[in-house]
Amino acid sequence: MDTPRITQAMIDAYDEYTHLTLDRRGFMDRLTKLAGSGAAAATIAPLLGANSASAAQVAADDKRIKGEDIAYAGGKGEIKGYLVRPAESSGKLGAVVVIHENRGLNEHIRDVARRVALEGFIALAPDLLSSEGGTPADEDKARDMIAKLAPEQPIADDIATVAYLKTIEGGNGKVGAVGFCWGGGQVNLLAVNAPALDAAVAYYGAQPKDEAAIAKIHAPLLLHYAGLDERIDAGIEAYKKALDAHHKEYTIYVYEGANHAFNNDTSAARYDKKAADLAWGRTIAFLKEKLA
Protein backbone atom coordinates (compact mmCIF):
# COMPACT_ATOMS: atom_id res chain seq x y z
CA MET A 1 0.00 0.00 0.00
CA ASP A 2 1.35 3.45 -0.97
CA THR A 3 2.04 5.93 1.81
CA PRO A 4 -0.79 8.50 1.75
CA ARG A 5 0.05 12.10 0.92
CA ILE A 6 0.23 14.24 4.05
CA THR A 7 -0.38 17.95 3.54
CA GLN A 8 0.59 20.92 5.66
CA ALA A 9 -3.09 21.48 6.43
CA MET A 10 -3.25 18.01 7.98
CA ILE A 11 -0.17 18.71 10.10
CA ASP A 12 -1.65 22.05 11.18
CA ALA A 13 -4.90 20.31 12.17
CA TYR A 14 -2.96 17.82 14.28
CA ASP A 15 -1.08 20.66 15.97
CA GLU A 16 -4.37 22.36 16.80
CA TYR A 17 -5.68 19.09 18.21
CA THR A 18 -2.64 18.40 20.39
CA HIS A 19 -1.95 21.95 21.59
CA LEU A 20 -5.07 24.09 21.26
CA THR A 21 -8.82 23.56 21.40
CA LEU A 22 -9.64 20.97 18.74
CA ASP A 23 -10.88 17.71 20.27
CA ARG A 24 -10.32 14.20 18.91
CA ARG A 25 -13.65 14.03 17.10
CA GLY A 26 -13.18 17.48 15.57
CA PHE A 27 -9.67 16.54 14.46
CA MET A 28 -10.82 13.33 12.78
CA ASP A 29 -13.71 15.16 11.08
CA ARG A 30 -11.32 17.76 9.69
CA LEU A 31 -8.77 15.13 8.70
CA THR A 32 -11.48 13.15 6.89
CA LYS A 33 -12.38 16.21 4.82
CA LEU A 34 -8.73 16.91 4.04
CA ALA A 35 -7.95 13.27 3.20
CA GLY A 36 -11.10 12.66 1.16
CA SER A 37 -12.41 9.69 3.13
CA GLY A 38 -12.63 8.19 6.59
CA ALA A 39 -10.42 5.30 5.52
CA ALA A 40 -7.68 7.63 4.34
CA ALA A 41 -7.96 9.67 7.56
CA ALA A 42 -7.62 6.52 9.64
CA THR A 43 -4.40 5.67 7.78
CA ILE A 44 -2.94 9.18 8.08
CA ALA A 45 -3.73 9.86 11.75
CA PRO A 46 -1.10 7.45 13.16
CA LEU A 47 1.54 8.99 10.89
CA LEU A 48 0.84 12.43 12.33
CA GLY A 49 1.04 11.18 15.90
CA ALA A 50 3.95 9.55 17.70
CA ASN A 51 4.55 5.83 17.40
CA SER A 52 5.79 4.53 20.74
CA ALA A 53 6.84 1.28 19.05
CA SER A 54 9.47 3.05 16.95
CA ALA A 55 12.98 1.78 17.56
CA ALA A 56 15.11 3.78 19.98
CA GLN A 57 18.37 5.30 18.77
CA VAL A 58 20.06 4.11 21.96
CA ALA A 59 18.84 0.86 23.50
CA ALA A 60 18.03 0.84 27.21
CA ASP A 61 20.58 -1.95 27.74
CA ASP A 62 23.36 -0.27 25.76
CA LYS A 63 26.59 -1.10 27.59
CA ARG A 64 27.97 2.40 27.09
CA ILE A 65 25.46 3.86 29.56
CA LYS A 66 23.87 3.14 32.92
CA GLY A 67 20.20 4.02 33.33
CA GLU A 68 17.84 3.70 36.28
CA ASP A 69 14.47 4.90 37.49
CA ILE A 70 14.85 7.06 40.59
CA ALA A 71 12.77 9.19 42.95
CA TYR A 72 13.77 12.42 44.68
CA ALA A 73 12.17 15.35 46.51
CA GLY A 74 10.16 17.72 44.34
CA GLY A 75 8.21 20.92 44.66
CA LYS A 76 5.24 19.05 46.11
CA GLY A 77 6.02 15.48 47.05
CA GLU A 78 8.19 12.97 45.27
CA ILE A 79 9.36 13.23 41.67
CA LYS A 80 10.04 10.13 39.66
CA GLY A 81 12.57 10.30 36.87
CA TYR A 82 14.91 8.44 34.56
CA LEU A 83 18.60 8.97 35.34
CA VAL A 84 21.26 8.03 32.79
CA ARG A 85 25.02 8.47 32.83
CA PRO A 86 27.98 7.17 30.85
CA ALA A 87 29.09 3.72 32.00
CA GLU A 88 32.63 5.04 32.27
CA SER A 89 34.00 8.55 32.74
CA SER A 90 37.41 9.95 33.58
CA GLY A 91 36.18 12.92 35.59
CA LYS A 92 33.17 14.78 36.90
CA LEU A 93 30.43 15.54 34.40
CA GLY A 94 27.97 18.29 33.64
CA ALA A 95 24.32 17.37 34.16
CA VAL A 96 21.30 17.97 31.94
CA VAL A 97 17.58 18.03 32.76
CA VAL A 98 15.65 16.53 29.82
CA ILE A 99 12.09 17.91 29.84
CA HIS A 100 9.41 15.96 28.03
CA GLU A 101 6.71 17.02 25.60
CA ASN A 102 3.05 17.17 26.59
CA ARG A 103 2.90 13.38 26.34
CA GLY A 104 4.82 12.96 29.59
CA LEU A 105 7.86 10.83 30.30
CA ASN A 106 7.54 8.28 27.51
CA GLU A 107 9.96 5.95 25.74
CA HIS A 108 11.00 8.61 23.24
CA ILE A 109 12.15 11.01 25.97
CA ARG A 110 13.93 8.18 27.76
CA ASP A 111 15.76 7.57 24.48
CA VAL A 112 16.68 11.26 24.24
CA ALA A 113 18.07 11.11 27.79
CA ARG A 114 20.23 8.17 26.75
CA ARG A 115 21.49 10.14 23.75
CA VAL A 116 22.47 12.99 26.07
CA ALA A 117 24.32 10.57 28.36
CA LEU A 118 26.23 9.14 25.42
CA GLU A 119 27.56 12.64 24.77
CA GLY A 120 29.25 12.65 28.17
CA PHE A 121 26.63 14.10 30.52
CA ILE A 122 24.55 12.93 33.46
CA ALA A 123 21.00 13.15 32.14
CA LEU A 124 17.82 13.20 34.22
CA ALA A 125 14.37 13.16 32.63
CA PRO A 126 11.80 14.00 35.32
CA ASP A 127 8.21 12.80 35.07
CA LEU A 128 6.36 16.08 35.52
CA LEU A 129 3.14 14.15 36.04
CA SER A 130 4.56 12.53 39.18
CA SER A 131 2.24 14.59 41.38
CA GLU A 132 -0.72 13.14 39.47
CA GLY A 133 0.40 9.52 39.74
CA GLY A 134 2.84 9.48 36.83
CA THR A 135 2.67 9.40 33.04
CA PRO A 136 -0.07 7.07 31.74
CA ALA A 137 0.40 4.83 28.71
CA ASP A 138 -2.40 6.67 26.85
CA GLU A 139 -0.82 9.81 25.38
CA ASP A 140 -4.20 11.55 24.99
CA LYS A 141 -4.76 11.10 28.72
CA ALA A 142 -1.24 12.40 29.41
CA ARG A 143 -1.97 15.54 27.38
CA ASP A 144 -5.20 16.11 29.30
CA MET A 145 -3.38 15.68 32.62
CA ILE A 146 -0.63 18.12 31.66
CA ALA A 147 -3.18 20.69 30.51
CA LYS A 148 -4.79 20.52 33.96
CA LEU A 149 -1.58 20.98 35.94
CA ALA A 150 -1.34 24.14 38.00
CA PRO A 151 1.28 26.22 36.13
CA GLU A 152 3.52 26.47 39.18
CA GLN A 153 3.72 22.69 39.70
CA PRO A 154 6.02 21.65 36.83
CA ILE A 155 8.26 24.67 37.34
CA ALA A 156 8.67 23.83 41.03
CA ASP A 157 9.58 20.27 40.04
CA ASP A 158 12.03 21.47 37.39
CA ILE A 159 13.72 23.77 39.91
CA ALA A 160 13.95 20.84 42.35
CA THR A 161 15.49 18.72 39.59
CA VAL A 162 18.17 21.34 38.96
CA ALA A 163 18.91 21.45 42.69
CA TYR A 164 19.15 17.65 42.82
CA LEU A 165 21.63 17.57 39.94
CA LYS A 166 23.75 20.38 41.37
CA THR A 167 25.07 18.01 44.03
CA ILE A 168 24.67 14.62 42.37
CA GLU A 169 27.55 12.19 42.77
CA GLY A 170 29.88 12.38 39.78
CA GLY A 171 28.59 15.79 38.73
CA ASN A 172 30.71 18.91 38.36
CA GLY A 173 28.06 21.21 39.80
CA LYS A 174 26.93 22.65 36.45
CA VAL A 175 23.41 21.94 35.21
CA GLY A 176 21.71 22.64 31.91
CA ALA A 177 18.27 21.86 30.57
CA VAL A 178 16.87 20.81 27.21
CA GLY A 179 13.17 20.54 26.47
CA PHE A 180 10.89 19.83 23.55
CA CYS A 181 7.50 21.31 22.64
CA TRP A 182 5.70 21.81 26.00
CA GLY A 183 9.06 20.98 27.57
CA GLY A 184 10.70 23.70 25.49
CA GLY A 185 8.30 26.19 27.05
CA GLN A 186 9.19 24.76 30.45
CA VAL A 187 12.89 25.35 29.73
CA ASN A 188 12.17 29.01 28.99
CA LEU A 189 10.25 29.31 32.27
CA LEU A 190 12.97 27.44 34.14
CA ALA A 191 15.52 29.94 32.86
CA VAL A 192 13.34 32.69 34.32
CA ASN A 193 12.86 30.98 37.69
CA ALA A 194 16.15 29.14 38.33
CA PRO A 195 19.14 31.48 38.61
CA ALA A 196 21.32 28.42 39.30
CA LEU A 197 20.71 27.06 35.78
CA ASP A 198 23.89 27.17 33.67
CA ALA A 199 22.48 26.57 30.16
CA ALA A 200 19.04 26.30 28.57
CA VAL A 201 18.04 24.73 25.24
CA ALA A 202 14.44 25.07 24.09
CA TYR A 203 13.11 23.23 21.06
CA TYR A 204 10.05 25.00 19.60
CA GLY A 205 8.95 26.11 23.06
CA ALA A 206 6.47 28.82 23.99
CA GLN A 207 8.16 32.02 25.08
CA PRO A 208 7.64 33.89 28.38
CA LYS A 209 5.36 36.85 27.78
CA ASP A 210 6.32 38.99 30.80
CA GLU A 211 9.32 41.19 30.05
CA ALA A 212 9.98 41.66 33.77
CA ALA A 213 10.28 37.88 34.08
CA ILE A 214 12.60 37.69 31.08
CA ALA A 215 14.85 40.21 32.81
CA LYS A 216 15.51 37.57 35.51
CA ILE A 217 17.10 35.08 33.09
CA HIS A 218 20.72 34.27 33.92
CA ALA A 219 21.43 31.17 31.81
CA PRO A 220 22.61 31.47 28.21
CA LEU A 221 19.87 30.32 25.83
CA LEU A 222 19.89 28.21 22.68
CA LEU A 223 16.49 28.43 20.96
CA HIS A 224 15.48 26.12 18.12
CA TYR A 225 12.36 26.91 16.05
CA ALA A 226 10.65 25.23 13.11
CA GLY A 227 10.07 27.43 10.08
CA LEU A 228 6.53 26.13 9.49
CA ASP A 229 5.48 26.42 13.15
CA GLU A 230 3.38 29.58 12.91
CA ARG A 231 1.84 29.12 16.38
CA ILE A 232 5.14 29.16 18.29
CA ASP A 233 7.09 31.33 15.86
CA ALA A 234 4.62 34.18 16.41
CA GLY A 235 6.35 34.84 19.74
CA ILE A 236 9.95 34.93 18.51
CA GLU A 237 10.29 38.63 17.75
CA ALA A 238 8.85 39.82 21.07
CA TYR A 239 11.08 37.37 22.95
CA LYS A 240 14.12 38.48 21.01
CA LYS A 241 13.33 42.12 21.65
CA ALA A 242 13.02 41.54 25.40
CA LEU A 243 16.21 39.47 25.54
CA ASP A 244 18.08 42.20 23.67
CA ALA A 245 16.66 44.91 25.93
CA HIS A 246 18.05 43.14 28.97
CA HIS A 247 21.35 42.12 27.36
CA LYS A 248 20.80 38.37 27.66
CA GLU A 249 23.01 35.80 25.98
CA TYR A 250 21.05 33.83 23.41
CA THR A 251 21.21 32.21 19.99
CA ILE A 252 18.17 31.58 17.80
CA TYR A 253 17.99 29.12 14.91
CA VAL A 254 14.98 28.75 12.64
CA TYR A 255 14.92 25.57 10.54
CA GLU A 256 13.15 26.50 7.33
CA GLY A 257 10.74 23.91 5.96
CA ALA A 258 10.58 22.03 9.28
CA ASN A 259 7.45 21.47 11.34
CA HIS A 260 6.83 21.70 15.06
CA ALA A 261 8.23 18.54 16.72
CA PHE A 262 10.82 18.08 13.95
CA ASN A 263 13.16 16.39 16.44
CA ASN A 264 10.71 13.62 17.39
CA ASP A 265 11.70 10.65 15.27
CA THR A 266 8.66 8.64 16.39
CA SER A 267 6.40 10.95 14.34
CA ALA A 268 6.76 9.94 10.69
CA ALA A 269 5.00 12.98 9.24
CA ARG A 270 6.75 15.70 11.25
CA TYR A 271 10.25 14.35 11.87
CA ASP A 272 12.88 16.14 9.81
CA LYS A 273 16.18 14.28 10.03
CA LYS A 274 18.27 17.06 8.47
CA ALA A 275 16.92 19.70 10.87
CA ALA A 276 17.03 17.32 13.84
CA ASP A 277 20.65 16.34 13.23
CA LEU A 278 21.75 19.94 12.76
CA ALA A 279 19.91 21.12 15.89
CA TRP A 280 21.24 18.20 17.93
CA GLY A 281 24.83 18.93 16.93
CA ARG A 282 24.37 22.55 17.94
CA THR A 283 22.72 21.52 21.20
CA ILE A 284 25.52 19.19 22.25
CA ALA A 285 28.24 21.69 21.32
CA PHE A 286 26.45 24.37 23.35
CA LEU A 287 26.02 22.13 26.40
CA LYS A 288 29.63 20.99 26.26
CA GLU A 289 30.78 24.60 26.18
CA LYS A 290 28.55 25.83 28.99
CA LEU A 291 28.71 22.83 31.33
CA ALA A 292 32.43 22.05 31.17
Side-chain angles (χ1 to χ4, degrees):
M1 181 178 177
D2 293 336
T3 301
R5 178 173 176 268
I6 297 174
T7 66
Q8 189 61 42
M10 294 173 184
I11 293 173
D12 292 344
Y14 183 78
D15 189 62
E16 184 178 348
Y17 159 55
T18 53
H19 296 99
L20 299 173
T21 58
L22 192 64
D23 61 17
R24 177 74 181 181
R25 176 175 292 182
F27 165 64
M28 290 306 297
D29 286 347
R30 186 177 300 180
L31 187 58
T32 297
K33 292 176 182 176
L34 292 169
S37 71
T43 301
I44 291 169
L47 300 177
L48 294 168
N51 178 7
S52 60
S54 295
Q57 288 193 25
V58 183
D61 60 356
D62 191 304
K63 301 302 182 185
R64 297 171 295 173
I65 57 169
K66 294 187 293 186
E68 60 180 324
D69 291 305
I70 66 167
Y72 54 99
K76 185 180 75 174
E78 185 178 78
I79 306 172
K80 295 180 180 179
Y82 181 54
L83 179 69
V84 198
R85 63 175 76 218
E88 297 181 5
S89 62
S90 58
K92 294 190 175 183
L93 306 174
V96 180
V97 185
V98 181
I99 305 181
H100 56 69
E101 302 166 316
N102 65 348
R103 297 177 176 86
L105 179 54
N106 57 18
E107 289 305 316
H108 168 63
I109 293 299
R110 287 172 174 265
D111 183 38
V112 172
R114 293 192 290 269
R115 299 177 205 175
V116 172
L118 270 187
E119 297 290 349
F121 301 99
I122 299 170
L124 176 54
D127 185 346
L128 296 177
L129 285 172
S130 292
S131 63
E132 308 305 311
T135 295
D138 183 335
E139 70 173 41
D140 285 337
K141 184 176 180 182
R143 278 196 293 263
D144 289 343
M145 291 168 67
I146 283 176
K148 293 174 183 176
L149 284 175
E152 64 273 12
Q153 180 63 47
I155 290 302
D157 286 345
D158 288 331
I159 292 171
T161 303
V162 172
Y164 176 80
L165 287 174
K166 279 286 180 179
T167 59
I168 196 168
E169 182 180 357
N172 66 5
K174 293 189 177 182
V175 180
V178 58
F180 306 86
C181 184
W182 179 81
Q186 291 297 306
V187 166
N188 281 321
L189 292 175
L190 182 59
V192 166
N193 289 283
L197 191 68
D198 296 294
V201 184
Y203 279 72
Y204 28 83
Q207 305 86 357
K209 301 297 189 291
D210 182 0
E211 185 171 339
I214 294 170
K216 296 191 295 182
I217 292 175
H218 290 278
L221 307 174
L222 177 59
L223 308 171
H224 299 299
Y225 295 104
L228 298 177
D229 189 4
E230 295 181 1
R231 177 177 60 87
I232 294 296
D233 291 358
I236 293 176
E237 286 306 313
Y239 195 23
K240 182 179 178 181
K241 182 178 179 180
L243 290 169
D244 284 337
H246 296 284
H247 310 290
K248 302 303 178 183
E249 180 183 347
Y250 72 94
T251 303
I252 290 176
Y253 292 108
V254 179
Y255 299 84
E256 298 301 335
N259 275 290
H260 185 86
F262 67 76
N263 184 73
N264 191 331
D265 54 352
T266 71
S267 177
R270 295 176 295 154
Y271 174 58
D272 186 315
K273 178 174 172 50
K274 182 179 179 181
D277 288 350
L278 181 55
W280 186 254
R282 288 167 168 169
T283 294
I284 297 304
F286 175 78
L287 292 173
K288 286 185 176 180
E289 175 190 350
K290 303 303 181 182
L291 304 182

